[in-house]
Amino acid sequence: MVAFRINGAGFKGCTVPAKEAGLVGFYDAGVPYRPDNDAVRAALPFRWRKAFDRAGGAWWFEGDSAHVCIRDRHGRNLTIVYAHGVKG
């Protein structure tokens, strides 16, 4: 089972389940996974949830970790959410 540890500046971190991804993601047994966006959205502070929706779930993967930039409606950076893949 794969899960992702979520953290970033300005909110308490958590662990969220993984969903199967298309081609890019955290690979386990030849299958790519990405964080479950609904679980990540629920873990974020209320004031950032709409901004996370605007990001469209566009995770940028770099090896075993990924990140998504959350920006306000004017394009200013609010925070960066990091996801680190873990095998459970």
Side-chain angles (χ1 to χ4, degrees):
M1 180 173 150
V2 176
F4 285 88
R5 288 197 183 113
I6 305 295
N7 62 14
F11 70 98
K12 184 179 177 183
C14 67
T15 301
V16 298
K19 280 189 157 181
E20 238 181 85
L23 294 174
V24 179
F26 175 75
Y27 276 82
D28 181 38
V31 179
Y33 292 94
R34 64 171 180 80
D36 182 355
N37 285 340
D38 294 332
V40 174
R41 185 183 190 280
L44 291 173
F46 181 75
R47 65 187 184 276
W48 290 345
R49 291 179 183 173
K50 207 175 240 189
F52 182 75
D53 293 342
R54 275 193 301 271
W59 292 94
W60 292 88
F61 281 87
E62 299 169 11
D64 291 347
S65 64
H67 71 276
V68 62
C69 295
I70 297 180
R71 301 179 191 280
D72 68 6
R73 62 189 175 116
H74 301 291
R76 295 179 294 232
N77 192 34
L78 296 173
T79 192
I80 299 174
V81 178
Y82 295 97
H84 305 281
V86 292
K87 294 179 185 180

